[in-house]
Amino acid sequence: MTLVALITVPEDQARELARLLVRERLAGSVNVLPSTFSVYRWNDDAAEDIEALLIVKTTQERYQALEARVRELHPYQIPEIVALPAGRALPAFAEWLRDSVQT
């Protein structure tokens, strides 16, 4: 099954993390959307940051390894990692993605 994972990261680390996820075959592709304004609750208060949003395409089978690697590398105590199943994907894309993340 194709998954889309949304991961926020400090802008200065976004491209390197995206490259690493693809190089390590944890993702088939990653889109980096810079300058995302984030508002979130932290330490019982509202916090704000400018971050990058990574849109990561992976598979259900590779998700656990992807999550573990992001947690290992991410500078935040609790990184935002939200994975959503792709209800539909172009069959050729889904096949390419499976091939791209196979180890």
Side-chain angles (χ1 to χ4, degrees), residues 25-42:
R25 302 181 79 87
L26 297 168
S29 70
V30 179
N31 302 100
V32 179
L33 293 128
S35 299
T36 299
F37 180 70
S38 298
V39 180
Y40 55 94
R41 179 155 298 283
W42 188 250

Side-chain angles (χ1 to χ4, degrees), residues 2 8 11 13 17 21-22 33 35 39 46-47 59 61 87 91 99 103:
T2 299
T8 54
E11 276 194 299
Q13 297 177 27
L17 181 57
L21 295 176
V22 170
L33 293 128
S35 299
V39 180
T59 62
E61 295 77 20
D99 293 345
T103 56

Side-chain angles (χ1 to χ4, degrees), residues 2-88:
T2 299
L3 294 181
V4 177
L6 307 174
I7 302 169
T8 54
V9 65
E11 276 194 299
D12 63 342
Q13 297 177 27
R15 288 181 184 208
E16 185 55 34
L17 181 57
R19 288 182 190 108
L20 185 137
L21 295 176
V22 170
R23 275 195 309 265
E24 293 186 3
R25 302 181 79 87
L26 297 168
S29 70
V30 179
N31 302 100
V32 179
L33 293 128
S35 299
T36 299
F37 180 70
S38 298
V39 180
Y40 55 94
R41 179 155 298 283
W42 188 250
N43 293 327
D44 206 29
D45 199 6
E48 300 177 355
D49 276 309
I50 300 295
E51 302 174 299
L53 174 64
L54 305 182
I55 302 174
V56 181
K57 277 70 74 181
T58 191
T59 62
Q60 179 73 38
E61 295 77 20
R62 295 296 284 153
Y63 176 76
Q64 192 169 13
L66 170 91
E67 181 184 289
R69 189 68 166 129
V70 170
R71 291 184 72 194
E72 177 184 324
L73 298 169
H74 206 288
Y76 298 169
Q77 183 180 355
I78 303 172
E80 177 182 355
I81 308 169
V82 178
L84 308 167
R88 289 190 159 175

